[in-house]
Amino acid sequence: MSEPVLSARALAKTYQSGDRRIGVLRDVSLEVAAGESLSIRGESGSGKSTLLNLLSGLDAPDTGAITWEGAPPSTARRATYLGMVFQAFYLIPELDAAENVLMAARMIRAPGRAERARAADLLARVGLAERAAHLPAQLSGGERQRVAVARALMNSPRLLLADEPTGNLDEHTGDAVIELLLALCRETATALVLVTHNAAHAQKTNRQLFLREGVLSHA
Ligand SMILES: Nc1ncnc2c1ncn2[C@@H]1O[C@H](COP(=O)(O)OP(=O)(O)O)[C@@H](O)[C@H]1O
Ligand SMILES: [Mg+2]
């Protein structure tokens, strides 16, 4: 048996707010195998983004443990292990689409010919071959998110975390982005954790989970 790409055991997380402590996650456990996709739904404020921050190693749980293929998350591994896609795209406005995709490679080393070719291939794969030299402001929302998907996959991550990636898109555009995200993850056996409010999108993943009162349960 190979180690799960992602394992979370009994995560708890509270936030301090003034003199109050707000419990967000009480007892969250999760395992994701290589190439597996799962969705997490839950009301606004239920802690979905908090959970993804923990799974990405960007924030630490109060108690509980996370492993990426058996080892704890680390900054050194994150750039190659993990891709992330957010509701708000987070492209760099001064850089064109190709340079935004290459930013992921720059986290590791100065990109050379191979990285530029890969960025171009990825932009073509997300249907933006003709938009490589466009700035984010010159792209539609759906196009921006497709650039963000290409960037997230640039370093061939084992795991992709997507936090409401269609939250800023119209229904039709959102559907297309989800189809693309799922197809690319399938092709490359990238594990996917998709946070979404869209029940139809959630149904397209291998497993459907709900976050409710700080606990993750099967839908
Ligand atoms: N940095 C923070 N400091 C204090 N409270 C926070 C912080 N981040 C999130 N929260 C609170 O934690 C709860 C869960 O937030 P979040 O994880 O963003 O939920 P979701 O993504 O499901 O909408 C909310 O009540 C939110 O206000
Ligand atoms: Mg959120």
Side-chain angles (χ1 to χ4, degrees), residues 143-189:
E143 289 168 343
R144 287 180 209 181
Q145 196 60 304
R146 285 189 276 152
V147 174
V149 167
R151 178 181 60 185
L153 292 169
M154 177 69 204
N155 297 336
S156 305
R158 301 285 290 144
L159 174 65
L160 201 151
L161 303 176
D163 195 353
E164 300 192 39
T166 64
N168 281 353
L169 305 178
D170 65 67
E171 189 179 339
H172 174 75
T173 305
D175 291 351
V177 164
I178 289 297
E179 291 298 343
L180 186 62
L181 192 60
L182 288 165
L184 285 167
C185 285
R186 245 190 327 264
E187 283 168 24
T188 55

Side-chain angles (χ1 to χ4, degrees), residues 45 47-50 87 163-164 195:
K48 304 180 297 298
S49 295
T50 297
Q87 178 172 350
D163 195 353
E164 300 192 39
V195 166

Side-chain angles (χ1 to χ4, degrees), residues 26-169:
R26 272 198 304 139
D27 184 3
V28 170
S29 294
L30 178 68
E31 251 181 40
V32 189
E36 190 183 20
S37 63
L38 68 82
S39 57
I40 299 176
R41 280 182 283 169
E43 284 178 13
S44 184
S46 60
K48 304 180 297 298
S49 295
T50 297
L51 175 57
L52 287 197
N53 280 338
L54 300 183
L55 300 180
S56 69
L58 293 170
D59 196 4
D62 299 341
T63 57
I66 293 159
T67 55
W68 293 347
E69 269 167 3
S74 70
T75 306
R77 281 175 83 201
R78 186 178 303 110
T80 52
Y81 199 81
L82 188 73
M84 296 184 80
V85 179
F86 301 94
Q87 178 172 350
F89 319 134
Y90 294 133
L91 300 181
I92 298 174
E94 295 82 7
L95 299 182
D96 68 22
E99 285 297 330
N100 266 285
V101 176
L102 275 170
M103 275 309 292
R106 282 186 205 286
M107 300 294 163
I108 305 169
R109 70 176 83 88
R113 191 186 304 220
E115 285 81 9
R116 290 185 186 281
R118 176 163 172 78
D121 283 349
L122 277 164
L123 280 177
R125 183 63 187 80
V126 300
L128 294 176
E130 313 297 317
R131 299 280 188 279
H134 287 219
L135 295 173
Q138 300 167 319
L139 298 171
S140 70
E143 289 168 343
R144 287 180 209 181
Q145 196 60 304
R146 285 189 276 152
V147 174
V149 167
R151 178 181 60 185
L153 292 169
M154 177 69 204
N155 297 336
S156 305
R158 301 285 290 144
L159 174 65
L160 201 151
L161 303 176
D163 195 353
E164 300 192 39
T166 64
N168 281 353
L169 305 178

